[in-house]
Structure formats: C-alpha cells, structure tokens
C-alpha cells in the first residue's frame, strides 16, 4: 500500500488530520489498532476550546456539534465552602468553550471519513515506523492476521502515549520531560441532570472534585483519589457521599444523585517529548505530550498539532518550501509548554498533595483568593482555559 501521509491512530488527532488533508486534496491512510466501537465509546475529554470548535466547523465536522454542543461562558471555583464564578467572555474579549464529548467528536469524524475520505482501517496495528530519516518512510502493520507495509511520503504518529511512533526516534536525539502526580481521578458517568449549569472545580481538604456533564441529562463527575486506586473499591453510595462533602457550600446548593453507569480511574501525568519530528516522521497529540486533565487541554493540544502539520504540508505543496514543516516541532512546542504550565498550575491549585505542609495549603487558598479578588489573576485563568492561539 502507498499513500502520501500515513497516519497511525484514529483518536481525535489522527481522525481530524485525515479530514484536514482530504479537504486540501492530499491523500492519507489511517491505521487504528482498536475496533470502531472501542474508539467511539472511550470516555475522555469533554471541553473544546473555541479554536478547536472553529477548526471542526471549518473542516465540515460541526453540524452535530452546533446542534448538541453546550456553549459555556464560565466555570465555578469552589473552596472553603465558597463559590466564585469566572466569566470567560467578560475577561477574554468574548471567548467561551463548548461542552461536547471526545466520543462524539470521534463518531462525527469517523462517519465523515468512511463516507468521503480515504482508507481508515480498524484493528490494524502499526508494529514499527521505519526509514523516518530517509525519503521513503514506511509503516509495518498487522491487519486481518497478515503483515503489511504502508509506504508514505510522511508518517504522522497520532498513536497516543502508549503508541509505537515515538520509539522510532533514536533515543540519543530526544529528551523527555515528565512529572507523575501521586494521585489520580476516579471518573463516573451518571444518568442525572448536572446539578449546576457550568463546570464546578472544587478544592477541598479531602481532595479535589469536578462536576462536568455530557448532556442536559448526563453528568460526568470526578474525585481525586490516591494513585493506584481500584475504581471497583468505591461503591456508588461512597462516591456520592464523597462528592457531596467536597462540593459542600454555605448556601443551599445540593448535588442530585442518579444511577452511575460507568466508573474508571485515570492516572495523572505531565510529559513532553522533544523534538516532535524526526525526518519525515511527525508526532502529534498524546504521542508527543500528556497533560493532567485539570486544565481540559489534551484534546485541544492534539487539534493544534494536526492543524499545524496540515498547514505546513499545504504550504510545501503550494510554494515548494519546507520551511513550515521544518518549524513544526518548534511551533507546536511553544503552545504545548503553555498548556503544560496552565495544566500544572490548575492541578497544583486544586489538588490535595500528600505530604504538603500547612504552609503550602494556606498558599493554595491564598492563590484561590487572589483569583477571586484580582481581575488580572482571574484573566490569566480565563485566557488559559479558553485556549492559546494555534500556530
Ligand atoms: P488518543 O485519543 O489516545 O488516540 C490514539 C489512538 O491511537 C491508537 N493506537 C494505535 N493505532 C495503530 N497502531 C498502534 N500501534 C497504536 N497504538 C495506539 C489508539 O488505539 C488510539 O485510538 O490520542 P490523540 O488522538 O492524541 O488524542 C488525545 C486525547 O485523547 C487526550 O489528550 C484527551 O482525552 C485528554 N483529556 C482531555 N482533553 C481535553 O482537551 N479536554 C478535556 O476535558 C479532557 N479530559 C482527558 C480528559 C483525558 C482523560 N483521560 C482518560 C486520560 C479526561 C480524562 C479522564
Ligand atoms: C470532562 O468533562 O470529562 C472534563 C471536563 C473538564 C476537565 C476534565 C474533564 O478539566
């Protein structure tokens, strides 16, 4: 098999890239190791920055997003039983975010790709990327029990944190920057209307909690739990009781309970792999960087990377100049490090860190008070949350 761009992974990064290239008249093949149902059901992100929603619309993938996505103009910070709302449009010159689940973004892009795009092979596992630093890179893969080779002009590794693309870059040319946090998130889906119309980020002495949503009738909730926690060790009753405690306020706000339909634990990690390019191999999304979910940045970063790659390749086709492709890693990493900083700040602002001293806990509250009382501090949060510019 031969194509211009070989894409490994059909998460948001790989699927959107295939769509952007198809719209620019550039052919691609997507290899995805899991089956379609798995990719469409995997519960993950829920928040799209305005720039991400705009890219999906411009790519022709915005129809259901515009119908079912929920525009959010703010979030609530909760600490010391108090509530503080951050008003995004007022602080950022009109920017907002959209609640539209990653599962839905993937479903929309898969349907478009199968109808209008090039090959998208499920249960096709990339085994290795070879010849990245030659003019003939190729991907060895296994599909239907047989091994095959995909010859490409470029390979884009969109295969997530556990994929194979990153390992094709010789270790002596790379540097990894990592921080693993000593806690995770227990996430649940519940069939109950969200108890607040905007997301609530709560800092509590017992740990962080987040109230989010998937639709007007489905809530998504998270609890900070110790690293290595087994989701099944928490009964539904224990989960609701703990959420109630962490969200408690001095007013009459109450948390509505409902049947829990899914629960899982996510570890928390910050990671950046430099550079994001080696010869004709480009890394995009979680394959190159991970952020803790507190800042809601992972999917949005993945979108920024593939937009940058698609623009660079179109530029090369139109002008013959590889300057944007050569600048890919640098261009992406500028935005990546801003998102890493923001996600780290949000994580350390809101989580209970095991072993933190009383002094550090007071500082955490002082940072929250600062955001609640200073327009400058609040604007910094609002700008970070609604997103850093692409490219
Ligand atoms: P993905 O989504 O991991 O997709 C990678 C795909 O590659 C496939 N694959 C392979 N295919 C072929 N051959 C191989 N050898 C392969 N190895 C792997 C995998 O099966 C998979 O389909 O990476 P991508 O596309 O870079 O997208 C990144 C996002 O998924 C991720 O950053 C976000 O989900 C992070 N995230 C959030 N991001 C946000 O922007 N906003 C949020 O609100 C948000 N909340 C979250 C999150 C992540 C979470 N978890 C579970 C980590 C909340 C949670 C709980
Ligand atoms: C989600 O809805 O899954 C979600 C929302 C905001 C975050 C993380 C996850 O910061």
């Amino acid at each position: 098999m031969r194509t211009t761009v070989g894409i490994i992974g059909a998460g948001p990064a790989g699927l959107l890239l295939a769509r952007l290239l198809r719209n620019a008249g550039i052919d691609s093949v997507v290899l995805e190791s899991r089956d379609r149902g798995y990719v469409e059901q995997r519960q993950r992100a829920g928040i799209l920055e305005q720039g991400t929603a705009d890219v999906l619309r411009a790519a022709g993938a915005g129809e259901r997003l515009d119908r079912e996505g929920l525009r959010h103009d703010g979030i609530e910070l909760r600490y010391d039983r108090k509530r503080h709302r951050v008003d995004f449009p007022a602080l950022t010159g009109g920017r907002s975010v959209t609640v539209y689940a990653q599962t839905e973004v993937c479903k929309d892009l898969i349907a478009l790709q199968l109808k209008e795009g090039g090959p998208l092979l499920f249960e096709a596992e990339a085994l290795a990327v070879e010849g990245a630093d030659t003019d003939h890179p190729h991907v060895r893969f296994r599909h239907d029990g047989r091994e095959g080779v995909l010859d490409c002009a470029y390979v884009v590794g969109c295969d997530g944190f556990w994929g194979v693309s990153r390992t094709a870059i010789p270790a002596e040319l790379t540097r990894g920057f990592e921080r693993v946090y000593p806690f995770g998130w227990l996430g649940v889906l519940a069939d109950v209307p969200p108890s607040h119309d905007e997301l609530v980020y709560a800092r509590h002495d017992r740990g962080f909690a987040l109230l989010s949503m998937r639709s007007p009738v489905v809530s998504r909730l998270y609890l900070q739990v110790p690293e290595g926690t087994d989701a099944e060790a928490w009964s539904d009753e224990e989960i609701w009781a703990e959420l109630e405690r962490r969200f408690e306020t001095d007013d009459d706000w109450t948390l509505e309970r409902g049947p829990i339909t899914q629960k899982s634990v996510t570890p928390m990690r910050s990671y950046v792999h430099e550079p994001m390019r080696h010869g004709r191999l480009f890394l995009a999304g979680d394959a190159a960087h991970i952020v803790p979910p507190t800042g809601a940045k992972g999917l949005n970063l993945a979108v920024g990377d593939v937009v940058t790659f698609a623009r660079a390749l179109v530029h090369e086709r139109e002008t013959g100049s590889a300057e944007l492709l050569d600048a890919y890693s640098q261009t992406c990493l500028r935005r990546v490090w801003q998102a890493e900083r923001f996600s780290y700040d949000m994580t350390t602002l809101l989580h209970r860190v095991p072993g933190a001293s009383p002094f550090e806990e007071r500082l955490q509250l002082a940072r929250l008070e600062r955001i609640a009382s200073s327009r400058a501090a609040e604007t910094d949060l609002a700008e970070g949350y609604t997103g850093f510019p692409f490219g």
Side-chain angles (χ1 to χ4, degrees), residues 12-13 32-34 42 44-46 102 126 159 286 296 298-300:
E32 165 58 49
S33 56
R34 313 301 294 247
R42 186 169 42 194
R44 286 188 163 183
Q102 179 166 329
D159 47 352
D286 280 15
L299 185 155
N300 295 292

Side-chain angles (χ1 to χ4, degrees), residues 15 38 60 94 109 120 183 210 215 221 227 237 274 287 338 356:
L15 290 167
Y38 181 88
L109 289 169
L120 160 56
F183 42 78
L210 171 62
S215 75
L221 297 137
E227 189 185 14
E237 168 59 35
E274 292 188 359
Q338 284 307 316

Side-chain angles (χ1 to χ4, degrees), residues 27-90:
D27 63 302
S28 70
V29 171
V30 184
L31 304 174
E32 165 58 49
S33 56
R34 313 301 294 247
D35 62 34
R36 181 177 177 180
Y38 181 88
V39 173
E40 291 188 341
Q41 299 307 327
R42 186 169 42 194
Q43 270 308 320
R44 286 188 163 183
I47 297 286
L48 309 184
E49 291 173 1
Q50 187 156 320
T52 296
D54 290 345
V55 165
L56 289 169
R57 284 187 195 107
E63 197 202 327
R64 202 159 63 92
L65 165 67
D66 282 329
R67 225 176 34 241
E68 297 176 17
L70 308 169
R71 178 191 156 123
H72 278 206
D73 284 342
I75 55 169
E76 184 177 298
L77 297 176
R78 219 172 257 201
Y79 59 99
D80 253 0
R81 305 176 65 88
K82 290 184 294 203
R83 313 166 63 166
H84 176 78
R85 175 168 190 261
V86 181
D87 181 335
F88 295 150

Side-chain angles (χ1 to χ4, degrees), residues 44-47 185 199 201 210 212-214 220 222 293-296 385:
R44 286 188 163 183
I47 297 286
W185 280 13
L199 272 64
Y201 287 80
L210 171 62
S212 180
M213 61 200 72
R214 287 292 172 266
R220 175 78 169 150
Y222 295 99
T294 329
Y385 199 93

Side-chain angles (χ1 to χ4, degrees), residues 37 43 45-46 53 69 106 119 128 137 148 159 215 234 246 259 262 268 290 321-322 339 348 354 364 375 385:
Q43 270 308 320
C106 288
D159 47 352
S215 75
W234 283 73
R246 296 191 192 180
Q262 249 191 57
M268 306 264 281
I290 295 284
S321 162
T348 56
Q364 215 177 25
R375 192 174 166 97
Y385 199 93

Side-chain angles (χ1 to χ4, degrees), residues 91-110:
L91 293 161
T92 62
R95 275 147 71 186
S96 61
V97 297
T98 302
V99 172
Y100 191 65
Q102 179 166 329
T103 47
E104 308 314 297
V105 173
C106 288
K107 282 180 204 162
D108 295 347
L109 289 169
I110 287 170

